Amino acid sequence: MPNRSPAKALLRPTATLLLGSVVLAACGQKTPQTTLNPASESTRAIYNLSELLFWLGVVVFLIVQTWLIVSIIKYRQKDSSQIPTQIHGNTKVEIAWTIVPAIIAIVIFVFTFDTIRKIEFMPAEAAGNTLNVKVIGHQWWWEFQYPDIKDASGKPLVTANELWIPSGSYIDVKMTSVDVIHDFWIPGLAGKRDVMPNRESGLWFKADDVADGSPGVFWGQCAEYCGGQHAYMKMRVVVASPADFQKWSTEQSQVAVNTNLPESFTKNCIGCHVVRGTNAAGITGPDLTHFGGRMTIAAGTVDNTREHLYAWLDDPDAVKRGNIMTTAIKADTLTEAEITELVDYLESLNPGTSVKGQQ
C-alpha cells in the first residue's frame, strides 16, 4: 500500500466535512424561533455575546488546528528506519498556553457579566413606560393577564396563547405555574426563564419599534420539558405600535361581540371556558371571549382556520394528544351539527383587530 503524506490524508475528510456543512446549510428552512434575528435590547445583548464567543472559538480553533497540522508534517517520521526527534518540554510554549487561555477566560467573564447586568436589571428610564404582564403556565397552554388593563367587569384583561405588547415600551413579565415547571422563551425578544408553581419569577424586555398597521409576530415556546405535549406548548407574541396596541386592548377589554351562546356551547363548554358577557365562567381552559381573532388554536398547534377548528372539536386527542379537553370531549362526543354550530359561534368571536393568518 503506497504511503500518503499527512497533508493528502487530511484532504479527503476535510473536503467531506466542508461539503456536508454546505449540504446541511442548504436544507435550512424558515426558522421562526431563531435567536439570530434579535428584535429587542435584551436579545441583541445576548446575540452580541454569543457572536463574540463564536469568533473567539473560531480563532482558537484555527490556531490549534494550524499548529497541529504543522507539527504533524514537520515532526513526522521521514525515514522509516529512524525514530523522529523526541522533544521534551518547552518553557515558552507552556507559559503561552497558560497565559493565553487565562486572558480569554477573563475577556469572556467581563463581557458575560456586562450582558447579564444589561438583561437582568430594568433601566431607570423604564419608569412610566412599563406594561406589566402576568404569565401563568398550564399543561399545555399559556395564560396572559394584564394587571394594568381592566375588562368590562373591572378584572385584569386575560388572553390565552397570544400575547400582544406595544413596541417601544418596557414589558415587565411576572410568571408562575399552576402545575409543573415550564419555561417561558420568546427567542426573538427575551431569554429563557423558568416558570415554577408556588413561586414568582420574572424578566423584562423592550421590543423594537414597529409602524402603525405593521405588527410583528414572534414565536414563543415552553423550553422546559413539562409532559407529553411539551413540544406543543407554544405561543405567539404580537408587537404592535402603541396606537395599534391601544386599539387592540380597548377591543379586548369589552365583552364578547356575540353573547348568544348556542345550546352546544352551554351543553359542552360552559364548565371550562370563559366568554365575558355570558354566563360561561369556567377557568379550567383558556378564556374564549375573543377567540375568533386569535392566530392559532390548541396553544399554537395549528392555525385558527375553520377546518382545523372543526377537526379540533371533532377529536381533540387527534390534534393534540393528551390535552385536558379530552377529559370532556372525545371522538364522536359531538354530533356534526353541534360541531358546526360551535365552529360558527367561535369564529364569530372576533372583535376586529387581529393578525390572524400572519406568520
Side-chain angles (χ1 to χ4, degrees), residues 26-228:
C27 294
Q29 298 180 352
K30 185 179 179 183
T31 51
Q33 294 189 172
T34 178
T35 59
L36 301 181
N37 295 316
S40 73
E41 293 180 356
S42 302
T43 49
R44 211 157 15 250
I46 297 171
Y47 175 81
N48 291 339
L49 176 63
S50 62
E51 192 175 42
L52 171 68
L53 297 180
F54 172 79
W55 287 115
L56 275 176
V58 169
V59 172
V60 171
F61 176 81
L62 291 176
I63 292 175
V64 171
Q65 294 305 311
T66 301
W67 205 342
L68 177 63
I69 292 172
V70 169
S71 298
I72 290 173
I73 296 173
K74 184 176 181 179
Y75 299 106
R76 71 187 187 278
Q77 186 179 26
K78 299 173 183 175
D79 185 346
S80 59
S81 62
Q82 296 180 351
I83 298 177
T85 304
Q86 302 299 297
I87 300 174
H88 301 282
N90 187 312
T91 303
K92 292 182 180 179
V93 172
E94 291 173 1
I95 292 175
W97 76 39
T98 301
I99 293 179
V100 172
I103 293 174
I104 293 175
I106 292 171
V107 170
I108 293 174
F109 169 78
V110 170
F111 280 93
T112 301
F113 183 84
D114 184 58
T115 300
I116 293 175
R117 179 187 61 78
K118 289 177 180 176
I119 65 176
E120 189 67 23
F121 303 105
M122 189 180 293
E125 65 188 49
N129 185 28
T130 302
L131 175 69
N132 295 297
V133 175
K134 183 175 182 179
V135 175
I136 301 175
H138 302 256
Q139 285 181 311
W140 291 274
W141 60 280
W142 297 98
E143 178 180 347
F144 302 119
Q145 299 182 2
Y146 297 78
D148 304 328
I149 304 173
K150 305 299 183 185
D151 64 18
S153 63
K155 297 179 180 178
L157 174 64
V158 178
T159 66
N161 304 316
E162 191 171 301
L163 174 67
W164 280 62
I165 59 171
S167 64
S169 293
Y170 291 87
I171 311 301
D172 190 1
V173 184
K174 302 300 182 189
M175 300 172 280
T176 189
S177 169
V178 298
D179 36 53
V180 299
I181 298 176
H182 303 281
D183 194 290
F184 183 80
W185 187 33
I186 316 163
L189 296 175
K192 299 176 182 177
R193 192 58 52 95
D194 276 352
V195 182
M196 294 166 282
N198 303 316
R199 184 172 177 180
E200 186 177 83
S201 54
L203 58 78
W204 71 273
F205 60 94
K206 177 187 176 186
D208 294 342
D209 290 339
V210 299
D212 289 344
S214 301
V217 178
F218 297 84
W219 290 39
Q221 169 78 51
C222 177
E224 174 82 24
Y225 180 73
C226 57

Side-chain angles (χ1 to χ4, degrees), residues 180-355:
V180 299
I181 298 176
H182 303 281
D183 194 290
F184 183 80
W185 187 33
I186 316 163
L189 296 175
K192 299 176 182 177
R193 192 58 52 95
D194 276 352
V195 182
M196 294 166 282
N198 303 316
R199 184 172 177 180
E200 186 177 83
S201 54
L203 58 78
W204 71 273
F205 60 94
K206 177 187 176 186
D208 294 342
D209 290 339
V210 299
D212 289 344
S214 301
V217 178
F218 297 84
W219 290 39
Q221 169 78 51
C222 177
E224 174 82 24
Y225 180 73
C226 57
Q229 289 299 312
H230 156 71
Y232 291 103
M233 189 173 170
K234 304 177 183 179
M235 71 186 98
R236 299 289 187 274
V237 179
V238 181
V239 179
S241 68
D244 288 342
F245 177 77
Q246 181 62 43
K247 181 182 178 184
W248 174 86
S249 62
T250 300
E251 291 177 351
Q252 295 287 317
S253 302
Q254 306 304 312
V255 299
V257 293
N258 183 356
T259 56
N260 297 316
L261 293 179
E263 181 180 351
S264 54
F265 193 99
T266 304
K267 176 183 175 183
N268 299 289
C269 313
I270 199 170
C272 295
H273 296 284
V274 171
V275 177
R276 295 196 299 275
T278 75
N279 59 348
I283 58 173
T284 304
D287 186 315
L288 300 180
T289 302
H290 302 297
F291 173 86
R294 293 177 190 159
M295 300 178 66
T296 64
I297 60 178
T301 304
V302 291
D303 291 340
N304 186 4
T305 65
R306 186 173 183 84
E307 294 73 23
H308 289 154
L309 186 53
Y310 191 99
W312 171 249
L313 293 169
D314 182 43
D315 185 4
D317 201 48
V319 177
K320 187 174 181 176
R321 187 170 299 280
N323 73 86
I324 194 171
M325 187 162 154
T326 58
T327 60
I329 297 179
K330 305 181 187 303
D332 301 327
T333 297
L334 302 175
T335 66
E336 289 187 12
E338 287 178 320
I339 296 174
T340 301
E341 186 179 57
L342 284 170
V343 170
D344 290 341
Y345 177 69
L346 291 171
E347 285 197 317
S348 73
L349 299 177
N350 188 347
T353 302
S354 171
V355 290

